Amino acid sequence: MEKKAAVLVGSLRRESLNRKLALALEDIGSGLLNFDIIPLDAVPLFNEDLEATPPAAVLDMKERVRAADATLFITPEYNRGLPAVMKNAVDWCSRPTGKGAFTGKAGAIAGISPGAIGTALAQSQLKPILVMLGMRLMGQPEVYIQGGPAYFDASGKVADPKNRDFLALFLKRFAVWIG
Ligand SMILES: Cc1cc2nc3c(=O)[nH]c(=O)nc-3n(C[C@H](O)[C@H](O)[C@H](O)COP(=O)(O)O)c2cc1C
């Protein structure tokens, strides 16, 4: 049976390249992985005072992450670091301490940026956080994509067949990693 991957995208932008990457990966991985792309727009800033009665968007996100076999993190890089949207989602999902939604689960990271290092620094900040939370994080292949809107064609698919093949390999390895 297909494994289920919750997908967290670290950008709220309508034309987000990283959301496009998530959708393109969902398409490439169909038949291999079942994606659940979780909206983060309504997830408020983490506040311990809200934990007793968490907002609906937080409950929804955590339930969907817990229900999945794995989480795929698709993140931009902001100012050589991890965007607040992604860190905020991770902080909510990390609770309660030691029994967070990622603990014991498989994970993988990808990202796209027009910048030269293709989100490598943002990803390198996310990795030790997820490992500390007890996630089984896949190390390779690393997906640092240097690209802009032209990485995708008009229908949202990855334009270059070589890039599609690489992403298909990434998803195949991730499916094995989850299993
Ligand atoms: C506040 C801010 C900081 C940024 N810093 C970086 C950066 O450090 N490295 C990088 O490659 N791109 C950086 N960018 C450019 C983003 O990679 C680009 O806007 C990208 O499209 C954002 O991802 P998205 O399309 O999924 O929203 C930055 C953009 C913003 C808005």
Side-chain angles (χ1 to χ4, degrees):
M1 195 169 123
E2 273 174 46
K3 296 286 182 186
K4 186 178 232 180
V7 181
L8 299 177
V9 177
S11 170
L12 305 181
R13 196 167 77 85
R14 241 189 332 271
E15 291 299 313
S16 164
L17 297 168
N18 286 277
R19 185 173 304 101
K20 286 181 181 172
L21 179 60
L23 293 168
L25 283 167
E26 181 175 32
D27 179 58
I28 292 168
S30 68
L32 181 68
L33 281 173
N34 183 1
F35 271 37
D36 181 18
I37 301 174
I38 301 174
L40 301 182
D41 311 62
V43 175
L45 282 178
F46 180 79
N47 178 344
E48 276 194 74
D49 294 340
L50 299 179
E51 284 195 288
T53 51
V58 171
L59 286 173
D60 178 62
M61 170 179 67
K62 289 182 75 169
E63 268 169 29
R64 288 161 72 172
V65 168
R66 285 191 194 278
D69 301 293
T71 304
L72 176 58
F73 301 82
I74 304 187
T75 188
E77 179 175 284
Y78 281 177
N79 300 313
R80 296 289 178 249
L82 187 62
V85 168
M86 182 62 86
K87 181 61 164 58
N88 189 52
V90 169
D91 288 342
W92 275 116
C93 288
S94 73
R95 306 283 285 174
T97 302
K99 293 184 195 146
F102 302 134
T103 308
K105 292 278 180 74
I109 309 177
I112 179 168
S113 159
I117 58 173
T119 76
L121 277 173
Q123 293 192 39
S124 74
Q125 291 177 7
L126 182 56
K127 277 177 196 171
I129 296 169
L130 298 176
V131 169
M132 182 279 291
L133 291 174
M135 191 156 229
R136 290 192 302 109
L137 199 60
M138 185 169 80
Q140 288 182 18
E142 294 175 295
V143 183
Y144 305 131
I145 301 173
Q146 195 276 318
Y151 188 82
F152 307 95
D153 67 18
S155 70
K157 293 191 190 314
V158 172
D160 185 331
K162 282 204 290 289
N163 291 335
R164 261 203 311 274
D165 289 349
F166 170 66
L167 293 175
L169 172 73
F170 167 69
L171 290 175
K172 215 167 139 186
R173 294 265 182 86
F174 189 34
V176 171
W177 183 259
I178 297 168

